[in-house]
Short mmCIF file of all heavy atoms in Angstrom, two decimals:
data_model
loop_
_atom_site.label_atom_id
_atom_site.label_comp_id
_atom_site.label_asym_id
_atom_site.label_seq_id
_atom_site.Cartn_x
_atom_site.Cartn_y
_atom_site.Cartn_z
N MET C 1 30.04 -14.18 -1.98
CA MET C 1 28.60 -13.95 -1.83
C MET C 1 28.21 -12.54 -2.29
O MET C 1 29.00 -11.61 -2.18
CB MET C 1 28.17 -14.14 -0.38
CG MET C 1 27.98 -15.59 0.00
SD MET C 1 26.90 -16.48 -1.13
CE MET C 1 25.39 -15.55 -0.96
N LEU C 2 27.00 -12.43 -2.80
CA LEU C 2 26.45 -11.13 -3.19
C LEU C 2 25.82 -10.47 -1.97
O LEU C 2 24.99 -11.09 -1.28
CB LEU C 2 25.40 -11.31 -4.29
CG LEU C 2 25.90 -11.95 -5.58
CD1 LEU C 2 24.74 -12.14 -6.54
CD2 LEU C 2 26.98 -11.10 -6.23
N LYS C 3 26.19 -9.24 -1.70
CA LYS C 3 25.63 -8.52 -0.56
C LYS C 3 24.28 -7.94 -0.93
O LYS C 3 24.13 -7.32 -1.98
CB LYS C 3 26.58 -7.40 -0.12
CG LYS C 3 26.11 -6.67 1.12
CD LYS C 3 26.98 -5.45 1.39
CE LYS C 3 26.41 -4.64 2.54
NZ LYS C 3 27.09 -3.35 2.69
N ILE C 4 23.30 -8.16 -0.07
CA ILE C 4 21.96 -7.59 -0.29
C ILE C 4 21.70 -6.58 0.81
O ILE C 4 21.80 -6.91 2.00
CB ILE C 4 20.89 -8.70 -0.28
CG1 ILE C 4 21.14 -9.69 -1.41
CG2 ILE C 4 19.49 -8.10 -0.40
CD1 ILE C 4 20.29 -10.92 -1.37
N GLU C 5 21.43 -5.34 0.42
CA GLU C 5 21.22 -4.28 1.41
C GLU C 5 20.04 -4.59 2.32
O GLU C 5 19.03 -5.15 1.88
CB GLU C 5 20.98 -2.94 0.69
CG GLU C 5 22.20 -2.42 -0.06
CD GLU C 5 23.27 -1.88 0.86
OE1 GLU C 5 22.96 -1.59 2.03
OE2 GLU C 5 24.43 -1.75 0.41
N GLU C 6 20.18 -4.19 3.57
CA GLU C 6 19.13 -4.44 4.55
C GLU C 6 17.96 -3.47 4.35
O GLU C 6 18.15 -2.34 3.88
CB GLU C 6 19.69 -4.26 5.96
CG GLU C 6 20.72 -5.31 6.35
CD GLU C 6 20.14 -6.71 6.38
OE1 GLU C 6 19.07 -6.90 6.98
OE2 GLU C 6 20.74 -7.62 5.77
N PRO C 7 16.74 -3.88 4.73
CA PRO C 7 15.59 -2.97 4.66
C PRO C 7 15.77 -1.77 5.59
O PRO C 7 16.48 -1.86 6.60
CB PRO C 7 14.42 -3.85 5.12
CG PRO C 7 14.87 -5.25 4.94
CD PRO C 7 16.35 -5.23 5.16
N THR C 8 15.11 -0.67 5.26
CA THR C 8 15.18 0.54 6.10
C THR C 8 13.81 0.92 6.68
O THR C 8 13.75 1.71 7.62
CB THR C 8 15.70 1.74 5.28
OG1 THR C 8 14.85 1.95 4.15
CG2 THR C 8 17.13 1.49 4.80
N LEU C 9 12.73 0.40 6.11
CA LEU C 9 11.38 0.75 6.57
C LEU C 9 10.55 -0.50 6.79
O LEU C 9 10.72 -1.50 6.10
CB LEU C 9 10.65 1.61 5.52
CG LEU C 9 10.86 3.11 5.48
CD1 LEU C 9 9.96 3.71 4.40
CD2 LEU C 9 10.54 3.76 6.81
N SER C 10 9.65 -0.45 7.77
CA SER C 10 8.73 -1.57 7.98
C SER C 10 7.31 -1.05 8.14
O SER C 10 7.10 0.09 8.56
CB SER C 10 9.14 -2.39 9.21
OG SER C 10 8.94 -1.64 10.39
N MET C 11 6.36 -1.90 7.80
CA MET C 11 4.94 -1.60 7.97
C MET C 11 4.24 -2.87 8.44
O MET C 11 4.69 -3.97 8.14
CB MET C 11 4.30 -1.15 6.63
CG MET C 11 4.83 0.14 6.08
SD MET C 11 4.26 0.43 4.39
CE MET C 11 2.53 0.66 4.63
N ASN C 12 3.15 -2.70 9.15
CA ASN C 12 2.33 -3.84 9.53
C ASN C 12 1.24 -4.06 8.49
O ASN C 12 0.49 -3.13 8.17
CB ASN C 12 1.69 -3.62 10.90
CG ASN C 12 2.69 -3.79 12.03
OD1 ASN C 12 3.69 -4.49 11.88
ND2 ASN C 12 2.45 -3.16 13.15
N PHE C 13 1.18 -5.26 7.92
CA PHE C 13 0.11 -5.65 7.00
C PHE C 13 -0.90 -6.44 7.83
O PHE C 13 -0.54 -7.45 8.45
CB PHE C 13 0.65 -6.56 5.88
CG PHE C 13 1.44 -5.85 4.81
CD1 PHE C 13 2.20 -4.72 5.11
CD2 PHE C 13 1.44 -6.32 3.51
CE1 PHE C 13 2.94 -4.08 4.12
CE2 PHE C 13 2.18 -5.69 2.52
CZ PHE C 13 2.93 -4.56 2.83
N MET C 14 -2.16 -6.00 7.83
CA MET C 14 -3.17 -6.61 8.70
C MET C 14 -4.39 -7.05 7.91
O MET C 14 -4.69 -6.50 6.85
CB MET C 14 -3.61 -5.59 9.76
CG MET C 14 -2.53 -5.22 10.75
SD MET C 14 -2.97 -3.74 11.69
CE MET C 14 -2.16 -2.49 10.74
N VAL C 15 -5.09 -8.02 8.48
CA VAL C 15 -6.39 -8.39 7.93
C VAL C 15 -7.33 -7.20 8.08
O VAL C 15 -7.36 -6.54 9.13
CB VAL C 15 -6.96 -9.61 8.69
CG1 VAL C 15 -8.40 -9.87 8.27
CG2 VAL C 15 -6.10 -10.83 8.44
N ASN C 16 -8.05 -6.86 7.03
CA ASN C 16 -8.99 -5.73 7.09
C ASN C 16 -10.19 -6.09 7.97
O ASN C 16 -10.91 -7.04 7.69
CB ASN C 16 -9.45 -5.40 5.67
CG ASN C 16 -10.38 -4.20 5.63
OD1 ASN C 16 -10.38 -3.38 6.55
ND2 ASN C 16 -11.17 -4.09 4.57
N ASP C 17 -10.37 -5.32 9.06
CA ASP C 17 -11.49 -5.60 9.97
C ASP C 17 -12.47 -4.44 10.06
O ASP C 17 -13.19 -4.29 11.03
CB ASP C 17 -10.96 -5.94 11.38
CG ASP C 17 -10.22 -4.77 12.01
OD1 ASP C 17 -10.02 -3.74 11.33
OD2 ASP C 17 -9.84 -4.88 13.20
N SER C 18 -12.50 -3.61 9.01
CA SER C 18 -13.43 -2.47 9.02
C SER C 18 -14.86 -2.95 8.78
O SER C 18 -15.07 -4.09 8.33
CB SER C 18 -13.03 -1.46 7.93
OG SER C 18 -13.62 -1.81 6.68
N PRO C 19 -15.86 -2.10 9.04
CA PRO C 19 -17.26 -2.49 8.78
C PRO C 19 -17.53 -2.85 7.32
O PRO C 19 -18.49 -3.56 7.03
CB PRO C 19 -18.05 -1.24 9.18
CG PRO C 19 -17.18 -0.56 10.19
CD PRO C 19 -15.77 -0.81 9.74
N PHE C 20 -16.68 -2.40 6.39
CA PHE C 20 -16.88 -2.70 4.97
C PHE C 20 -16.00 -3.86 4.50
O PHE C 20 -15.89 -4.10 3.30
CB PHE C 20 -16.58 -1.47 4.12
CG PHE C 20 -17.53 -0.31 4.33
CD1 PHE C 20 -17.24 0.96 3.85
CD2 PHE C 20 -18.73 -0.50 5.02
CE1 PHE C 20 -18.12 2.01 4.04
CE2 PHE C 20 -19.62 0.55 5.21
CZ PHE C 20 -19.31 1.81 4.72
N ALA C 21 -15.37 -4.57 5.43
CA ALA C 21 -14.46 -5.66 5.06
C ALA C 21 -15.19 -6.75 4.28
O ALA C 21 -16.32 -7.10 4.59
CB ALA C 21 -13.84 -6.25 6.32
N GLY C 22 -14.52 -7.27 3.25
CA GLY C 22 -15.07 -8.38 2.48
C GLY C 22 -16.04 -8.00 1.39
O GLY C 22 -16.50 -8.87 0.65
N GLN C 23 -16.33 -6.71 1.23
CA GLN C 23 -17.31 -6.30 0.22
C GLN C 23 -16.73 -6.28 -1.19
O GLN C 23 -17.46 -6.44 -2.17
CB GLN C 23 -17.88 -4.92 0.58
CG GLN C 23 -18.73 -4.91 1.84
CD GLN C 23 -19.34 -3.54 2.11
OE1 GLN C 23 -19.19 -2.60 1.31
NE2 GLN C 23 -20.05 -3.40 3.23
N ALA C 24 -15.40 -6.04 -1.30
CA ALA C 24 -14.82 -5.88 -2.63
C ALA C 24 -13.74 -6.90 -2.96
O ALA C 24 -13.50 -7.19 -4.13
CB ALA C 24 -14.24 -4.47 -2.78
#
């Protein structure tokens, strides 16, 4: 098997809920 390195960083991707959401 080919070894695939594990991730080192994570981020939360969220639905944009700002007052300007959906304008662009």
Side-chain angles (χ1 to χ4, degrees):
M1 280 308 299
L2 299 176
K3 184 188 174 190
I4 298 171
E5 293 287 342
E6 293 297 311
T8 58
L9 275 183
S10 68
M11 295 169 67
N12 285 335
F13 285 32
M14 294 165 265
V15 172
N16 182 22
D17 63 355
S18 86
F20 294 166
Q23 293 183 4

